[in-house]
Amino acid sequence: MAKYIFVTGGVTSSLGKGIIAASLAKLLQARGLKVTIQKFDPYINVDPGTLNPYEHGECFVTDDGAETDLDLGHYERFLNTPTSQASNVTTGRIYQTVINKEREGAYLGKTVQVIPHITDEIKRRMLLLGKSGKFDIIITELGGTVGDIESLPFVEAVRQLQWEMPEEDCMVVHLTLIPYLSAAKELKTKPTQHSVRLLSQEGVHPDVIVCRTEQPLNSDLKKKIALFCNVKPDAVIEAMDASSIYEVPLLMLQEGLDIIVLKKLQINGYAAPELTKWKAFLDKLKYPKTKVTIGLIGKYIELQDAYKSILESFVHAGAMNECKVKVIDVHSETITEDNVAEKLSKLDGLLVAPGFGNRGVEGKITAVKYARENNLPFFGICLGMQMAVIEYGRNVLGWADANSTEMVKDTAHPVIDLMDEQKDITAKGGTMRLGAYPCTIKEGTLAHTIYGTTEISERHRHRWEFNNKYITDFEKAGMVPSGKNPASGLVEIVELPKHPFFIGVQYHPELKSTVENPQPIFVHFVKAAKAFAEKRDAVKNPLLQSEMI
Ligand code: GLN
């Protein structure tokens, strides 16, 4: 029988519930338990796949093709285990199931209501992963903030589950904010008291209160929170701002969050936490020996969360290379032929980001050209790869109108075209080529060196593809399709052997990078950027050849 931990949030959003949930999961995993995390989101979209990145940050994709909340990325990066379709559920998904059942007549003439029908469906899904027999502990993060109208059915479902289950099988961790008022030089507990009261009014009492704070909480303050919120003082956990999200598990360990959870769930005989690899990663992260600057060319750069997995992949790959990776955001819409050199000349590597639609693509193409002509390490992801193909078509093959039919429907050289199976699709949600697909890598290529194998699997999220009609033209002109889907022949990787490091991938490698398994293309890209930086500095000042920047 699995045990259940629910993580709720109070006072405000953006407190980092996902990181706290992932950190707790990491600690329990480090003590030998099999743990997974799932996220229940109260919005009406059936999944976040149709949401603009400005609304909700990046859309994370699982192996089995679910378009999910970006918190699932944190869960995977921390736990090093994959999540799945079952791991992210929204209000929209719940209602869709209930309404479909109602249309099928499954409710036998009953009036279908929020309680019990919606709450029953929420509960069924909350217990689903626990029933698989694969996990000892299921952590469920509830999106939104306690008190929101739309999160009420979820809190009610937790209340019912707590009532139905033995006390030691279920618990609630409430994450809240203790603001510091600098004028009064004081930490304030009142918002936390209110949010716990709100939660209690909804019938759920937290077992642990995790307090986000910029200043340490002294024991008097912890006691005060404990007294007013009716928990034991050791169940008040301080969560100070950390310099890296990857520090949080260790901070939670110091605070004893895992121990209080294990006690409440009556799990005995657990091992000491095995965090050797995690700590080694943190050491490398904290004390880098070199530094590189990577340009991230995208159009959603105003919002850091839009490229979350890419940024985290650089953290993993940087640590692996004992190198600090500074990522500079360059807005693709601002890049022109005239300013490209000025904008990109200080970079050690260029990553052209994924994206949809026309806006900013010409800037991306101009940036690729600069990287190709100046031997600057280049890494294109999804739309970034497509832009590399278009740039090659235009500037090497000489087809000035080379384009993707996503941008210009009737271009004479559609080097990127809509996949056949996409041509009759009109609905937007969940209809892209999604999830893990195998890819066979050509021996002796850069991709082969990077992966060290010829058979890989990576995750996808796109509708367009390299147009195989042009494959021989590109090959003759020096662009190598080094990875293909074995069944369909779709080109998944392109590279330029004459360039020191030039690779474009149709898939999203950033979705599989974890602390313990940094994604190999990112690792090799950072390595290439290091080599580029060293060479450039050596040319600039021969005396500084060995000095680090
Ligand atoms: N818009 C492109 C496509 O659908 C690329 C998608 C992406 O970058 N994820 O093929």
Side-chain angles (χ1 to χ4, degrees):
M1 255 298 280
K3 296 187 185 255
Y4 295 85
I5 302 170
F6 294 95
V7 181
T8 58
V11 182
T12 169
S13 57
S14 305
L15 286 183
K17 259 190 310 230
I19 301 297
I20 293 294
S23 299
L24 173 59
K26 183 77 220 165
L27 292 180
L28 297 173
Q29 185 192 52
R31 289 187 183 274
L33 293 160
K34 291 195 259 11
V35 191
T36 194
I37 322 182
Q38 54 187 6
K39 175 140 196 218
F40 280 58
D41 275 313
Y43 51 76
I44 317 278
N45 302 64
V46 171
D47 62 42
T50 52
L51 286 172
N52 184 320
Y54 286 127
E55 288 275 324
H56 205 67
E58 147 193 291
C59 173
F60 191 79
V61 180
T62 58
D63 275 335
D64 60 356
E67 294 182 293
T68 74
D69 186 82
L70 57 80
D71 271 341
L72 271 78
H74 290 309
Y75 308 161
E76 292 200 5
R77 288 186 279 273
F78 275 57
L79 293 182
N80 200 31
T81 55
T83 53
S84 69
Q85 291 274 1
S87 319
N88 191 196
V89 177
T90 67
T91 294
R93 176 83 68 199
I94 300 282
Y95 271 80
Q96 192 184 45
T97 311
V98 171
I99 291 170
N100 285 346
K101 268 172 78 179
E102 186 274 334
R103 293 288 85 184
E104 286 161 13
Y107 295 111
L108 305 173
K110 286 256 176 242
T111 309
V112 181
Q113 295 183 299
V114 173
I115 303 173
H117 301 100
I118 294 297
T119 45
D120 278 355
E121 179 58 18
I122 296 175
K123 285 195 294 181
R124 187 185 71 80
R125 288 185 183 256
M126 282 176 168
L127 300 179
L128 214 57
L129 285 172
K131 295 216 163 111
S132 69
K134 287 197 244 160
F135 305 104
D136 303 315
I137 295 190
I138 314 291
I139 299 182
T140 304
E141 179 191 343
L142 293 192
T145 309
V146 167
D148 295 347
I149 291 177
E150 52 187 19
S151 66
L152 276 173
F154 293 93
V155 178
E156 169 62 13
V158 173
R159 184 193 72 76
Q160 292 182 18
L161 284 176
Q162 258 189 325
W163 180 80
E164 286 163 21
M165 281 187 208
E167 249 186 61
E168 67 278 14
D169 282 356
C170 180
M171 67 182 291
V172 175
V173 173
H174 186 59
L175 177 65
T176 165
L177 176 71
I178 309 288
Y180 180 72
L181 294 191
S182 46
K185 294 201 174 50
E186 243 185 304
L187 285 162
K188 290 295 185 189
T189 65
K190 196 72 84 190
T192 295
Q193 296 178 36
H194 282 303
S195 88
V196 171
R197 196 167 304 157
L198 213 53
L199 191 57
S200 301
Q201 274 166 13
E202 293 172 18
V204 172
H205 191 75
D207 300 286
V208 177
I209 297 176
V210 179
C211 304
R212 276 299 301 274
T213 170
E214 287 171 19
Q215 304 283 332
L217 308 180
N218 60 34
S219 60
D220 283 348
L221 208 80
K222 278 192 174 180
K223 259 193 220 142
K224 184 176 172 187
I225 297 168
L227 180 68
F228 280 105
C229 301
N230 200 19
V231 296
K232 294 277 178 256
D234 64 351
V236 176
I237 303 288
E238 166 192 296
M240 286 273 287
D241 290 354
S243 58
S244 154
I245 54 170
Y246 300 108
E247 298 266 5
V248 180
L250 298 186
L251 294 178
M252 292 301 102
L253 182 70
Q254 265 171 23
E255 282 288 301
L257 175 62
D258 53 336
I259 296 295
I260 184 106
V261 164
L262 290 165
K263 259 201 232 159
K264 162 75 182 135
L265 297 178
Q266 294 183 17
I267 299 174
N268 305 313
Y270 45 81
E274 167 48 48
L275 289 162
T276 322
K277 270 189 173 176
W278 193 269
K279 286 182 181 159
F281 158 78
L282 274 180
D283 266 354
K284 286 188 179 166
L285 187 66
K286 272 201 226 151
Y287 307 109
K289 295 187 176 141
T290 52
K291 180 181 155 192
V292 294
T293 307
I294 304 288
L296 171 65
I297 317 292
K299 66 173 173 182
Y300 308 115
I301 58 166
E302 301 86 347
L303 188 77
Q304 283 288 302
D305 276 357
Y307 301 112
K308 195 79 206 157
S309 292
I310 291 177
L311 297 176
E312 295 307 323
S313 300
F314 276 126
V315 175
H316 310 152
M320 187 90 164
N321 278 287
E322 299 185 77
C323 171
K324 168 144 186 61
V325 180
K326 183 169 179 215
V327 179
I328 292 187
D329 301 315
V330 188
H331 203 303
S332 50
E333 276 182 299
T334 65
I335 302 175
T336 63
E337 284 284 355
D338 294 335
N339 66 18
V340 65
E342 177 206 330
K343 277 192 184 290
L344 308 186
S345 63
K346 295 203 174 60
L347 301 177
D348 306 316
L350 184 84
L351 187 144
V352 178
F356 294 85
N358 216 347
R359 188 165 67 89
V361 293
E362 291 303 322
K364 285 186 172 173
I365 295 170
T366 308
V368 179
K369 178 166 181 269
Y370 177 88
R372 181 176 59 77
E373 291 179 343
N374 292 281
N375 283 336
L376 180 65
F378 168 80
F379 183 7
I381 298 183
C382 208
L383 186 73
M385 172 263 199
Q386 298 176 352
M387 295 301 110
V389 171
I390 294 170
E391 191 279 320
Y392 212 71
R394 286 187 190 174
N395 300 318
V396 178
L397 283 151
W399 304 327
D401 54 0
N403 218 321
S404 162
T405 52
E406 181 180 5
M407 317 306 160
V408 178
K409 267 206 169 68
D410 55 356
T411 174
H413 287 94
V415 292
I416 303 293
D417 201 6
L418 199 59
M419 283 180 271
D420 278 340
E421 62 267 34
Q422 287 286 330
K423 287 189 174 146
D424 297 324
I425 292 176
T426 50
K428 293 274 182 274
T431 56
M432 282 188 239
R433 183 181 185 223
L434 290 168
Y437 283 88
C439 168
T440 303
I441 291 177
K442 208 173 182 170
E443 285 191 34
T445 58
L446 173 63
H448 189 216
T449 311
I450 288 174
Y451 281 98
T453 172
T454 55
E455 301 303 326
I456 60 161
S457 167
E458 292 280 7
R459 298 180 191 171
H460 293 251
R461 184 172 187 252
H462 60 110
R463 297 185 200 279
W464 276 265
E465 57 159 324
F466 182 97
N467 186 346
N468 270 338
K469 202 173 102 187
Y470 296 101
I471 201 161
T472 23
D473 294 306
F474 276 88
E475 279 182 298
K476 273 191 202 143
M479 180 172 264
V480 174
S482 55
K484 285 187 191 169
N485 178 282
S488 60
L490 291 182
V491 172
E492 313 284 33
I493 314 176
V494 295
E495 55 187 73
L496 296 177
K498 288 217 177 97
H499 190 284
F501 190 99
F502 190 104
I503 190 162
V505 293
Q506 184 58 81
Y507 49 82
H508 288 267
E510 74 277 19
L511 302 178
K512 288 212 351 195
S513 191
T514 71
V515 165
E516 284 173 29
N517 264 327
Q519 208 284 337
I521 309 184
F522 280 87
V523 174
H524 283 258
F525 179 51
V526 171
K527 203 166 143 194
K530 263 166 74 176
F532 183 87
E534 269 165 34
K535 210 162 148 192
R536 191 191 40 205
D537 287 354
V539 173
K540 259 204 291 195
N541 186 350
L543 293 175
L544 285 179
Q545 273 195 25
S546 60
E547 199 184 271
M548 298 175 307
I549 56 165

